[in-house]
Structures are given as C-alpha cells and as structure tokens.
Amino acid sequence: MATTDAPAPAENEDSARGFAFALTAYLLWGFLPIYMKAVAHMSPFEVLAHRVVWSVPVAGIVLLILRRTSELKAAFRSPRTLMMAGLTAALITVNWGVYVWAISVDRALDTALGYFINPLFSIFLAAALLKERLQPVQLVAIALVVVAVAILTYDAGGLPWASLVLTVSWGFYAFFRKTLPVGPNQGFFLEVLILTPFALAYIVYAEMSGSGHLIHSSTSDTLLLAATGVITAGPLMIYANGAKLLRLSTIGIMQYIAPTMIFLIAVFVFHEPLSMVKLGAFVLIWSALAIYSWSMLMQARGN
C-alpha cells in the first residue's frame, strides 16, 4: 500500500502506481457482492456491525505503520470535527446497511443502478448546494437519469428506493467528507471508531441472544465475519492512496468499473431477472454516463 506521503503526479498527468491502486480498489469493490452473498444468511445488522468493529484494528494498524496519527489527536480535541465525523459515519452506515441488505435479498441489480447514478447525483449536488453552473451536456445526462428512474418507478409500481438511498447516502457522504479536516485514512478510522460502541453493543446482544454467528455458528461464519475488516477497510484505503495520484477525469471514468462488475455478477452469477424495461432503463443511464464522461474528457483536454 502506498503511503500518504507519496509525491503527487505532475499536473494533468496520471501515475502508473495511482492507476494500479485505484484499479485494485475498484476490482475489490466489484467482487464484493460475492462475499456479501456468502454472509446473506446472517442479519444485515450483524454484518454491518462486524464491518465496523473489524475495520478499527485494520485501519489503526495502517495508520501506525504510516505514522499518520497526529491528525487524529487534533480531531479528538475539535468538537466540530467530531460532529462532522459523526454525520459522515451515519451516512456511510446507511449506505453499507442498504447495500448488505440488497445483496442478501437478491437485489444486486439495484445496487449497481445506485452506483451508476451516483456520479450524476454528485454533479446535481454541486449545482444545488455549491451553486456550480451545469453544462448543457450535464443537464442532458441528468435528464436521462430522471427518465430512467421514472421508467423503473412506473414498471415496479414504486420508487427504486434501495438504489436511490445508495445514491443519496453516498453522494452526501462524499460531499460532507470533503469538509472533514483530516486525511482520508484518518477520517475513515475516526468514523468507524465513532460507530464502534453501537456496533459492539449489537454484537454482544446478538451473541447473548443466540442469534449471532461469531461464536454460536460454524468456523466458516466466524472467519467470514472476522474478514469484514480487511474487506471493508482495505479497498477504501487503497483507493484513498491511489486517487490523489490520478487526474479527476481518470477517476471519473474508472468509477464505473465496480457497478459494471456488480451488474454482470447480478445477471450472470446470481441470475437475477433482467426485464426488457429494466434493461432499457440501464441503457438510458449508460448513455447518460457516456455523455458525462465525454464532457469530462473534453474539459480535461482543455476543449
């Protein structure tokens, strides 16, 4: 894993090492549904709680190795920083919880949809909250997503709420995360540390009531739960160290790797039904992403 002291690439240039780190993170996120399907027989709350608790030692060890703990000491002395970290921790909890639940009930396609929509929702947030001016092509892309969601809502008889919750929770998480005055690795450690008392309380309750899978289950279940720390913290920290070594436009294109893999796994591995209506909605969203990516590449080239 790269250290946070790695030199940044020259302006408008990508680093091969940054590309390798980012690609690794997106591939790990792309394969994550397979792991989540393996723990689908457990309560989503239990899986979520273990993701939090086991992430603490993993993230803590990384920070100690990198000697990047000084920002944490300052954060603990700042009520504002702790409040902001509490907000981002709540948002990531919602995102993780809905993701775990969706995979467990055979709705992996909904998670892919949510993460496909997310980049365009982030553009909308920037316009709505930061008053950034939308380009005409961006407006077209957002309009296509709105049409796609309307089609899915009409076909299903209700909003695709799982997809929308994933989109909105991650979009606001990324938005508020930028205001947290600590590095990405330190911020992640702070978030899971804030969540740990609640997660530990649930794990203790589950084990005492006999519904938990850490002690009162098979060895494979115990190992799967213990692995949640590496599975959760690993990709996030690898990505954090790779993103700063790449251009924004490169990251913008690469972020479609994970939802594309989730889509393919949902259809060809989990055999989730893909109706023509849903496929049509995905085509609209893919078209919107193509338009968005093209405009981003043109801006990167200075055209």
PDB file of all heavy atoms in Angstrom, residues 5-41:
ATOM      1  N   ASP A   5       2.437   9.961   2.019  1.00  0.00           N
ATOM      2  CA  ASP A   5       3.482  10.926   1.714  1.00  0.00           C
ATOM      3  C   ASP A   5       4.001  10.786   0.286  1.00  0.00           C
ATOM      4  O   ASP A   5       4.983  11.408  -0.094  1.00  0.00           O
ATOM      5  CB  ASP A   5       4.662  10.754   2.681  1.00  0.00           C
ATOM      6  CG  ASP A   5       4.253  11.068   4.106  1.00  0.00           C
ATOM      7  OD1 ASP A   5       3.451  11.995   4.281  1.00  0.00           O
ATOM      8  OD2 ASP A   5       4.721  10.385   5.032  1.00  0.00           O
ATOM      9  N   ALA A   6       3.355   9.955  -0.515  1.00  0.00           N
ATOM     10  CA  ALA A   6       3.812   9.740  -1.885  1.00  0.00           C
ATOM     11  C   ALA A   6       3.709  11.027  -2.674  1.00  0.00           C
ATOM     12  O   ALA A   6       2.767  11.797  -2.533  1.00  0.00           O
ATOM     13  CB  ALA A   6       2.969   8.655  -2.559  1.00  0.00           C
ATOM     14  N   PRO A   7       4.677  11.302  -3.530  1.00  0.00           N
ATOM     15  CA  PRO A   7       4.626  12.533  -4.320  1.00  0.00           C
ATOM     16  C   PRO A   7       3.480  12.512  -5.305  1.00  0.00           C
ATOM     17  O   PRO A   7       3.182  11.481  -5.901  1.00  0.00           O
ATOM     18  CB  PRO A   7       5.973  12.541  -5.048  1.00  0.00           C
ATOM     19  CG  PRO A   7       6.391  11.109  -5.090  1.00  0.00           C
ATOM     20  CD  PRO A   7       5.874  10.489  -3.838  1.00  0.00           C
ATOM     21  N   ALA A   8       2.824  13.635  -5.449  1.00  0.00           N
ATOM     22  CA  ALA A   8       1.707  13.730  -6.390  1.00  0.00           C
ATOM     23  C   ALA A   8       2.248  13.811  -7.804  1.00  0.00           C
ATOM     24  O   ALA A   8       3.333  14.305  -8.054  1.00  0.00           O
ATOM     25  CB  ALA A   8       0.867  14.972  -6.078  1.00  0.00           C
ATOM     26  N   PRO A   9       1.493  13.329  -8.781  1.00  0.00           N
ATOM     27  CA  PRO A   9       1.940  13.412 -10.152  1.00  0.00           C
ATOM     28  C   PRO A   9       1.901  14.837 -10.639  1.00  0.00           C
ATOM     29  O   PRO A   9       1.253  15.695 -10.083  1.00  0.00           O
ATOM     30  CB  PRO A   9       0.918  12.547 -10.900  1.00  0.00           C
ATOM     31  CG  PRO A   9      -0.309  12.637 -10.060  1.00  0.00           C
ATOM     32  CD  PRO A   9       0.156  12.745  -8.667  1.00  0.00           C
ATOM     33  N   ALA A  10       2.607  15.085 -11.715  1.00  0.00           N
ATOM     34  CA  ALA A  10       2.562  16.419 -12.293  1.00  0.00           C
ATOM     35  C   ALA A  10       1.148  16.742 -12.729  1.00  0.00           C
ATOM     36  O   ALA A  10       0.340  15.861 -12.960  1.00  0.00           O
ATOM     37  CB  ALA A  10       3.515  16.478 -13.490  1.00  0.00           C
ATOM     38  N   GLU A  11       0.850  18.015 -12.813  1.00  0.00           N
ATOM     39  CA  GLU A  11      -0.496  18.445 -13.163  1.00  0.00           C
ATOM     40  C   GLU A  11      -0.921  17.832 -14.494  1.00  0.00           C
ATOM     41  O   GLU A  11      -0.167  17.788 -15.450  1.00  0.00           O
ATOM     42  CB  GLU A  11      -0.542  19.970 -13.225  1.00  0.00           C
ATOM     43  CG  GLU A  11      -1.947  20.512 -13.428  1.00  0.00           C
ATOM     44  CD  GLU A  11      -1.974  22.023 -13.400  1.00  0.00           C
ATOM     45  OE1 GLU A  11      -0.902  22.629 -13.244  1.00  0.00           O
ATOM     46  OE2 GLU A  11      -3.068  22.575 -13.551  1.00  0.00           O
ATOM     47  N   ASN A  12      -2.176  17.368 -14.532  1.00  0.00           N
ATOM     48  CA  ASN A  12      -2.752  16.765 -15.726  1.00  0.00           C
ATOM     49  C   ASN A  12      -2.019  15.505 -16.174  1.00  0.00           C
ATOM     50  O   ASN A  12      -2.013  15.174 -17.356  1.00  0.00           O
ATOM     51  CB  ASN A  12      -2.785  17.780 -16.886  1.00  0.00           C
ATOM     52  CG  ASN A  12      -3.764  18.901 -16.604  1.00  0.00           C
ATOM     53  OD1 ASN A  12      -4.801  18.687 -15.965  1.00  0.00           O
ATOM     54  ND2 ASN A  12      -3.431  20.093 -17.058  1.00  0.00           N
ATOM     55  N   GLU A  13      -1.380  14.825 -15.237  1.00  0.00           N
ATOM     56  CA  GLU A  13      -0.726  13.569 -15.561  1.00  0.00           C
ATOM     57  C   GLU A  13      -1.181  12.502 -14.579  1.00  0.00           C
ATOM     58  O   GLU A  13      -1.485  12.787 -13.428  1.00  0.00           O
ATOM     59  CB  GLU A  13       0.805  13.710 -15.502  1.00  0.00           C
ATOM     60  CG  GLU A  13       1.387  14.550 -16.626  1.00  0.00           C
ATOM     61  CD  GLU A  13       2.900  14.565 -16.590  1.00  0.00           C
ATOM     62  OE1 GLU A  13       3.480  13.827 -15.755  1.00  0.00           O
ATOM     63  OE2 GLU A  13       3.499  15.301 -17.378  1.00  0.00           O
ATOM     64  N   ASP A  14      -1.215  11.268 -15.053  1.00  0.00           N
ATOM     65  CA  ASP A  14      -1.573  10.140 -14.210  1.00  0.00           C
ATOM     66  C   ASP A  14      -0.322   9.391 -13.791  1.00  0.00           C
ATOM     67  O   ASP A  14       0.661   9.322 -14.532  1.00  0.00           O
ATOM     68  CB  ASP A  14      -2.502   9.171 -14.965  1.00  0.00           C
ATOM     69  CG  ASP A  14      -3.877   9.762 -15.196  1.00  0.00           C
ATOM     70  OD1 ASP A  14      -4.364  10.477 -14.299  1.00  0.00           O
ATOM     71  OD2 ASP A  14      -4.453   9.512 -16.270  1.00  0.00           O
ATOM     72  N   SER A  15      -0.382   8.812 -12.607  1.00  0.00           N
ATOM     73  CA  SER A  15       0.699   7.977 -12.115  1.00  0.00           C
ATOM     74  C   SER A  15       0.339   6.515 -12.335  1.00  0.00           C
ATOM     75  O   SER A  15      -0.792   6.097 -12.059  1.00  0.00           O
ATOM     76  CB  SER A  15       0.920   8.244 -10.625  1.00  0.00           C
ATOM     77  OG  SER A  15       1.617   7.191 -10.015  1.00  0.00           O
ATOM     78  N   ALA A  16       1.301   5.725 -12.827  1.00  0.00           N
ATOM     79  CA  ALA A  16       1.047   4.298 -13.036  1.00  0.00           C
ATOM     80  C   ALA A  16       0.726   3.615 -11.713  1.00  0.00           C
ATOM     81  O   ALA A  16      -0.136   2.735 -11.642  1.00  0.00           O
ATOM     82  CB  ALA A  16       2.269   3.640 -13.689  1.00  0.00           C
ATOM     83  N   ARG A  17       1.407   4.050 -10.658  1.00  0.00           N
ATOM     84  CA  ARG A  17       1.142   3.473  -9.348  1.00  0.00           C
ATOM     85  C   ARG A  17      -0.266   3.846  -8.866  1.00  0.00           C
ATOM     86  O   ARG A  17      -0.984   3.030  -8.302  1.00  0.00           O
ATOM     87  CB  ARG A  17       2.185   3.959  -8.338  1.00  0.00           C
ATOM     88  CG  ARG A  17       2.054   3.290  -6.983  1.00  0.00           C
ATOM     89  CD  ARG A  17       3.215   3.589  -6.090  1.00  0.00           C
ATOM     90  NE  ARG A  17       3.405   5.023  -5.894  1.00  0.00           N
ATOM     91  CZ  ARG A  17       4.050   5.532  -4.840  1.00  0.00           C
ATOM     92  NH1 ARG A  17       4.556   4.732  -3.931  1.00  0.00           N
ATOM     93  NH2 ARG A  17       4.199   6.834  -4.720  1.00  0.00           N
ATOM     94  N   GLY A  18      -0.658   5.104  -9.105  1.00  0.00           N
ATOM     95  CA  GLY A  18      -2.000   5.527  -8.726  1.00  0.00           C
ATOM     96  C   GLY A  18      -3.057   4.739  -9.474  1.00  0.00           C
ATOM     97  O   GLY A  18      -4.082   4.348  -8.901  1.00  0.00           O
ATOM     98  N   PHE A  19      -2.826   4.502 -10.764  1.00  0.00           N
ATOM     99  CA  PHE A  19      -3.768   3.715 -11.561  1.00  0.00           C
ATOM    100  C   PHE A  19      -3.882   2.301 -11.010  1.00  0.00           C
ATOM    101  O   PHE A  19      -4.978   1.745 -10.909  1.00  0.00           O
ATOM    102  CB  PHE A  19      -3.308   3.681 -13.020  1.00  0.00           C
ATOM    103  CG  PHE A  19      -4.246   2.939 -13.937  1.00  0.00           C
ATOM    104  CD1 PHE A  19      -5.343   3.572 -14.487  1.00  0.00           C
ATOM    105  CD2 PHE A  19      -4.035   1.598 -14.233  1.00  0.00           C
ATOM    106  CE1 PHE A  19      -6.224   2.890 -15.331  1.00  0.00           C
ATOM    107  CE2 PHE A  19      -4.894   0.909 -15.067  1.00  0.00           C
ATOM    108  CZ  PHE A  19      -5.991   1.554 -15.615  1.00  0.00           C
ATOM    109  N   ALA A  20      -2.747   1.710 -10.622  1.00  0.00           N
ATOM    110  CA  ALA A  20      -2.749   0.343 -10.093  1.00  0.00           C
ATOM    111  C   ALA A  20      -3.525   0.269  -8.784  1.00  0.00           C
ATOM    112  O   ALA A  20      -4.322  -0.664  -8.568  1.00  0.00           O
ATOM    113  CB  ALA A  20      -1.318  -0.140  -9.893  1.00  0.00           C
ATOM    114  N   PHE A  21      -3.324   1.253  -7.916  1.00  0.00           N
ATOM    115  CA  PHE A  21      -4.041   1.256  -6.642  1.00  0.00           C
ATOM    116  C   PHE A  21      -5.544   1.436  -6.857  1.00  0.00           C
ATOM    117  O   PHE A  21      -6.365   0.724  -6.271  1.00  0.00           O
ATOM    118  CB  PHE A  21      -3.504   2.369  -5.735  1.00  0.00           C
ATOM    119  CG  PHE A  21      -2.224   2.022  -5.041  1.00  0.00           C
ATOM    120  CD1 PHE A  21      -1.121   2.846  -5.151  1.00  0.00           C
ATOM    121  CD2 PHE A  21      -2.114   0.871  -4.278  1.00  0.00           C
ATOM    122  CE1 PHE A  21       0.065   2.538  -4.518  1.00  0.00           C
ATOM    123  CE2 PHE A  21      -0.935   0.552  -3.631  1.00  0.00           C
ATOM    124  CZ  PHE A  21       0.168   1.381  -3.755  1.00  0.00           C
ATOM    125  N   ALA A  22      -5.918   2.405  -7.700  1.00  0.00           N
ATOM    126  CA  ALA A  22      -7.338   2.663  -7.940  1.00  0.00           C
ATOM    127  C   ALA A  22      -8.011   1.463  -8.602  1.00  0.00           C
ATOM    128  O   ALA A  22      -9.124   1.078  -8.237  1.00  0.00           O
ATOM    129  CB  ALA A  22      -7.498   3.913  -8.810  1.00  0.00           C
ATOM    130  N   LEU A  23      -7.328   0.861  -9.570  1.00  0.00           N
ATOM    131  CA  LEU A  23      -7.889  -0.312 -10.245  1.00  0.00           C
ATOM    132  C   LEU A  23      -8.087  -1.453  -9.257  1.00  0.00           C
ATOM    133  O   LEU A  23      -9.122  -2.136  -9.274  1.00  0.00           O
ATOM    134  CB  LEU A  23      -6.972  -0.751 -11.387  1.00  0.00           C
ATOM    135  CG  LEU A  23      -7.417  -1.990 -12.174  1.00  0.00           C
ATOM    136  CD1 LEU A  23      -8.764  -1.731 -12.853  1.00  0.00           C
ATOM    137  CD2 LEU A  23      -6.363  -2.374 -13.214  1.00  0.00           C
ATOM    138  N   THR A  24      -7.120  -1.658  -8.386  1.00  0.00           N
ATOM    139  CA  THR A  24      -7.239  -2.710  -7.368  1.00  0.00           C
ATOM    140  C   THR A  24      -8.453  -2.471  -6.481  1.00  0.00           C
ATOM    141  O   THR A  24      -9.233  -3.390  -6.200  1.00  0.00           O
ATOM    142  CB  THR A  24      -5.963  -2.764  -6.505  1.00  0.00           C
ATOM    143  OG1 THR A  24      -4.845  -3.074  -7.331  1.00  0.00           O
ATOM    144  CG2 THR A  24      -6.095  -3.822  -5.412  1.00  0.00           C
ATOM    145  N   ALA A  25      -8.635  -1.224  -6.043  1.00  0.00           N
ATOM    146  CA  ALA A  25      -9.767  -0.901  -5.176  1.00  0.00           C
ATOM    147  C   ALA A  25     -11.092  -1.145  -5.880  1.00  0.00           C
ATOM    148  O   ALA A  25     -12.012  -1.754  -5.311  1.00  0.00           O
ATOM    149  CB  ALA A  25      -9.674   0.563  -4.725  1.00  0.00           C
ATOM    150  N   TYR A  26     -11.205  -0.699  -7.139  1.00  0.00           N
ATOM    151  CA  TYR A  26     -12.470  -0.873  -7.862  1.00  0.00           C
ATOM    152  C   TYR A  26     -12.758  -2.347  -8.157  1.00  0.00           C
ATOM    153  O   TYR A  26     -13.918  -2.779  -8.140  1.00  0.00           O
ATOM    154  CB  TYR A  26     -12.455  -0.056  -9.154  1.00  0.00           C
ATOM    155  CG  TYR A  26     -12.717   1.408  -8.924  1.00  0.00           C
ATOM    156  CD1 TYR A  26     -11.792   2.383  -9.307  1.00  0.00           C
ATOM    157  CD2 TYR A  26     -13.904   1.833  -8.326  1.00  0.00           C
ATOM    158  CE1 TYR A  26     -12.039   3.728  -9.093  1.00  0.00           C
ATOM    159  CE2 TYR A  26     -14.159   3.174  -8.105  1.00  0.00           C
ATOM    160  CZ  TYR A  26     -13.219   4.121  -8.491  1.00  0.00           C
ATOM    161  OH  TYR A  26     -13.474   5.445  -8.265  1.00  0.00           O
ATOM    162  N   LEU A  27     -11.732  -3.127  -8.431  1.00  0.00           N
ATOM    163  CA  LEU A  27     -11.931  -4.557  -8.652  1.00  0.00           C
ATOM    164  C   LEU A  27     -12.400  -5.243  -7.370  1.00  0.00           C
ATOM    165  O   LEU A  27     -13.284  -6.113  -7.399  1.00  0.00           O
ATOM    166  CB  LEU A  27     -10.638  -5.203  -9.160  1.00  0.00           C
ATOM    167  CG  LEU A  27     -10.223  -4.837 -10.585  1.00  0.00           C
ATOM    168  CD1 LEU A  27      -8.869  -5.459 -10.922  1.00  0.00           C
ATOM    169  CD2 LEU A  27     -11.274  -5.288 -11.599  1.00  0.00           C
ATOM    170  N   LEU A  28     -11.815  -4.859  -6.249  1.00  0.00           N
ATOM    171  CA  LEU A  28     -12.241  -5.430  -4.963  1.00  0.00           C
ATOM    172  C   LEU A  28     -13.688  -5.069  -4.670  1.00  0.00           C
ATOM    173  O   LEU A  28     -14.467  -5.906  -4.219  1.00  0.00           O
ATOM    174  CB  LEU A  28     -11.323  -4.930  -3.842  1.00  0.00           C
ATOM    175  CG  LEU A  28      -9.888  -5.478  -3.846  1.00  0.00           C
ATOM    176  CD1 LEU A  28      -9.046  -4.762  -2.799  1.00  0.00           C
ATOM    177  CD2 LEU A  28      -9.891  -6.981  -3.599  1.00  0.00           C
ATOM    178  N   TRP A  29     -14.071  -3.819  -4.927  1.00  0.00           N
ATOM    179  CA  TRP A  29     -15.466  -3.416  -4.740  1.00  0.00           C
ATOM    180  C   TRP A  29     -16.375  -4.159  -5.721  1.00  0.00           C
ATOM    181  O   TRP A  29     -17.513  -4.484  -5.378  1.00  0.00           O
ATOM    182  CB  TRP A  29     -15.608  -1.912  -4.943  1.00  0.00           C
ATOM    183  CG  TRP A  29     -15.243  -1.111  -3.725  1.00  0.00           C
ATOM    184  CD1 TRP A  29     -15.462  -1.457  -2.426  1.00  0.00           C
ATOM    185  CD2 TRP A  29     -14.601   0.172  -3.697  1.00  0.00           C
ATOM    186  NE1 TRP A  29     -14.995  -0.473  -1.593  1.00  0.00           N
ATOM    187  CE2 TRP A  29     -14.457   0.538  -2.341  1.00  0.00           C
ATOM    188  CE3 TRP A  29     -14.142   1.040  -4.680  1.00  0.00           C
ATOM    189  CZ2 TRP A  29     -13.880   1.748  -1.940  1.00  0.00           C
ATOM    190  CZ3 TRP A  29     -13.554   2.240  -4.292  1.00  0.00           C
ATOM    191  CH2 TRP A  29     -13.431   2.581  -2.940  1.00  0.00           C
ATOM    192  N   GLY A  30     -15.880  -4.410  -6.917  1.00  0.00           N
ATOM    193  CA  GLY A  30     -16.686  -5.119  -7.905  1.00  0.00           C
ATOM    194  C   GLY A  30     -16.992  -6.544  -7.496  1.00  0.00           C
ATOM    195  O   GLY A  30     -18.083  -7.058  -7.774  1.00  0.00           O
ATOM    196  N   PHE A  31     -16.046  -7.199  -6.832  1.00  0.00           N
ATOM    197  CA  PHE A  31     -16.252  -8.576  -6.386  1.00  0.00           C
ATOM    198  C   PHE A  31     -16.932  -8.668  -5.018  1.00  0.00           C
ATOM    199  O   PHE A  31     -17.262  -9.772  -4.566  1.00  0.00           O
ATOM    200  CB  PHE A  31     -14.912  -9.321  -6.318  1.00  0.00           C
ATOM    201  CG  PHE A  31     -14.379  -9.742  -7.661  1.00  0.00           C
ATOM    202  CD1 PHE A  31     -13.202  -9.199  -8.164  1.00  0.00           C
ATOM    203  CD2 PHE A  31     -15.061 -10.684  -8.427  1.00  0.00           C
ATOM    204  CE1 PHE A  31     -12.714  -9.591  -9.410  1.00  0.00           C
ATOM    205  CE2 PHE A  31     -14.587 -11.081  -9.667  1.00  0.00           C
ATOM    206  CZ  PHE A  31     -13.409 -10.532 -10.156  1.00  0.00           C
ATOM    207  N   LEU A  32     -17.140  -7.529  -4.357  1.00  0.00           N
ATOM    208  CA  LEU A  32     -17.718  -7.533  -3.017  1.00  0.00           C
ATOM    209  C   LEU A  32     -19.067  -8.251  -2.915  1.00  0.00           C
ATOM    210  O   LEU A  32     -19.341  -8.895  -1.890  1.00  0.00           O
ATOM    211  CB  LEU A  32     -17.846  -6.091  -2.504  1.00  0.00           C
ATOM    212  CG  LEU A  32     -18.304  -5.910  -1.055  1.00  0.00           C
ATOM    213  CD1 LEU A  32     -17.358  -6.615  -0.087  1.00  0.00           C
ATOM    214  CD2 LEU A  32     -18.410  -4.415  -0.709  1.00  0.00           C
ATOM    215  N   PRO A  33     -19.959  -8.170  -3.940  1.00  0.00           N
ATOM    216  CA  PRO A  33     -21.238  -8.889  -3.823  1.00  0.00           C
ATOM    217  C   PRO A  33     -21.089 -10.392  -3.587  1.00  0.00           C
ATOM    218  O   PRO A  33     -21.946 -11.008  -2.947  1.00  0.00           O
ATOM    219  CB  PRO A  33     -21.918  -8.608  -5.170  1.00  0.00           C
ATOM    220  CG  PRO A  33     -21.349  -7.311  -5.615  1.00  0.00           C
ATOM    221  CD  PRO A  33     -19.923  -7.329  -5.162  1.00  0.00           C
ATOM    222  N   ILE A  34     -20.009 -10.987  -4.095  1.00  0.00           N
ATOM    223  CA  ILE A  34     -19.811 -12.431  -3.885  1.00  0.00           C
ATOM    224  C   ILE A  34     -19.592 -12.716  -2.403  1.00  0.00           C
ATOM    225  O   ILE A  34     -20.138 -13.686  -1.848  1.00  0.00           O
ATOM    226  CB  ILE A  34     -18.623 -12.926  -4.734  1.00  0.00           C
ATOM    227  CG1 ILE A  34     -18.971 -12.793  -6.218  1.00  0.00           C
ATOM    228  CG2 ILE A  34     -18.275 -14.374  -4.387  1.00  0.00           C
ATOM    229  CD1 ILE A  34     -17.845 -13.175  -7.151  1.00  0.00           C
ATOM    230  N   TYR A  35     -18.804 -11.871  -1.744  1.00  0.00           N
ATOM    231  CA  TYR A  35     -18.624 -12.018  -0.302  1.00  0.00           C
ATOM    232  C   TYR A  35     -19.943 -11.786   0.427  1.00  0.00           C
ATOM    233  O   TYR A  35     -20.314 -12.536   1.338  1.00  0.00           O
ATOM    234  CB  TYR A  35     -17.555 -11.047   0.212  1.00  0.00           C
ATOM    235  CG  TYR A  35     -17.543 -10.950   1.720  1.00  0.00           C
ATOM    236  CD1 TYR A  35     -16.858 -11.889   2.482  1.00  0.00           C
ATOM    237  CD2 TYR A  35     -18.249  -9.942   2.369  1.00  0.00           C
ATOM    238  CE1 TYR A  35     -16.864 -11.810   3.866  1.00  0.00           C
ATOM    239  CE2 TYR A  35     -18.262  -9.862   3.746  1.00  0.00           C
ATOM    240  CZ  TYR A  35     -17.572 -10.798   4.493  1.00  0.00           C
ATOM    241  OH  TYR A  35     -17.607 -10.721   5.872  1.00  0.00           O
ATOM    242  N   MET A  36     -20.658 -10.731   0.043  1.00  0.00           N
ATOM    243  CA  MET A  36     -21.913 -10.408   0.715  1.00  0.00           C
ATOM    244  C   MET A  36     -22.952 -11.510   0.540  1.00  0.00           C
ATOM    245  O   MET A  36     -23.779 -11.747   1.416  1.00  0.00           O
ATOM    246  CB  MET A  36     -22.461  -9.074   0.193  1.00  0.00           C
ATOM    247  CG  MET A  36     -21.653  -7.868   0.642  1.00  0.00           C
ATOM    248  SD  MET A  36     -21.574  -7.763   2.452  1.00  0.00           S
ATOM    249  CE  MET A  36     -20.318  -6.499   2.652  1.00  0.00           C
ATOM    250  N   LYS A  37     -22.900 -12.191  -0.592  1.00  0.00           N
ATOM    251  CA  LYS A  37     -23.821 -13.318  -0.796  1.00  0.00           C
ATOM    252  C   LYS A  37     -23.462 -14.472   0.143  1.00  0.00           C
ATOM    253  O   LYS A  37     -24.346 -15.216   0.601  1.00  0.00           O
ATOM    254  CB  LYS A  37     -23.762 -13.771  -2.251  1.00  0.00           C
ATOM    255  CG  LYS A  37     -24.803 -14.825  -2.613  1.00  0.00           C
ATOM    256  CD  LYS A  37     -26.215 -14.280  -2.506  1.00  0.00           C
ATOM    257  CE  LYS A  37     -26.558 -13.359  -3.645  1.00  0.00           C
ATOM    258  NZ  LYS A  37     -27.996 -12.961  -3.646  1.00  0.00           N
ATOM    259  N   ALA A  38     -22.167 -14.611   0.462  1.00  0.00           N
ATOM    260  CA  ALA A  38     -21.734 -15.681   1.363  1.00  0.00           C
ATOM    261  C   ALA A  38     -22.225 -15.455   2.791  1.00  0.00           C
ATOM    262  O   ALA A  38     -22.342 -16.410   3.565  1.00  0.00           O
ATOM    263  CB  ALA A  38     -20.217 -15.796   1.341  1.00  0.00           C
ATOM    264  N   VAL A  39     -22.491 -14.193   3.163  1.00  0.00           N
ATOM    265  CA  VAL A  39     -22.990 -13.907   4.516  1.00  0.00           C
ATOM    266  C   VAL A  39     -24.464 -13.507   4.484  1.00  0.00           C
ATOM    267  O   VAL A  39     -24.981 -12.946   5.457  1.00  0.00           O
ATOM    268  CB  VAL A  39     -22.148 -12.796   5.181  1.00  0.00           C
ATOM    269  CG1 VAL A  39     -20.714 -13.253   5.373  1.00  0.00           C
ATOM    270  CG2 VAL A  39     -22.194 -11.494   4.371  1.00  0.00           C
ATOM    271  N   ALA A  40     -25.137 -13.818   3.376  1.00  0.00           N
ATOM    272  CA  ALA A  40     -26.533 -13.401   3.217  1.00  0.00           C
ATOM    273  C   ALA A  40     -27.469 -14.096   4.194  1.00  0.00           C
ATOM    274  O   ALA A  40     -28.581 -13.623   4.436  1.00  0.00           O
ATOM    275  CB  ALA A  40     -26.999 -13.665   1.778  1.00  0.00           C
ATOM    276  N   HIS A  41     -27.046 -15.235   4.770  1.00  0.00           N
ATOM    277  CA  HIS A  41     -27.889 -15.933   5.741  1.00  0.00           C
ATOM    278  C   HIS A  41     -27.845 -15.277   7.114  1.00  0.00           C
ATOM    279  O   HIS A  41     -28.599 -15.658   8.014  1.00  0.00           O
ATOM    280  CB  HIS A  41     -27.442 -17.398   5.869  1.00  0.00           C
ATOM    281  CG  HIS A  41     -26.028 -17.562   6.328  1.00  0.00           C
ATOM    282  ND1 HIS A  41     -24.953 -17.286   5.516  1.00  0.00           N
ATOM    283  CD2 HIS A  41     -25.505 -17.959   7.514  1.00  0.00           C
ATOM    284  CE1 HIS A  41     -23.826 -17.521   6.173  1.00  0.00           C
ATOM    285  NE2 HIS A  41     -24.141 -17.925   7.390  1.00  0.00           N
TER     286      HIS A  41
END
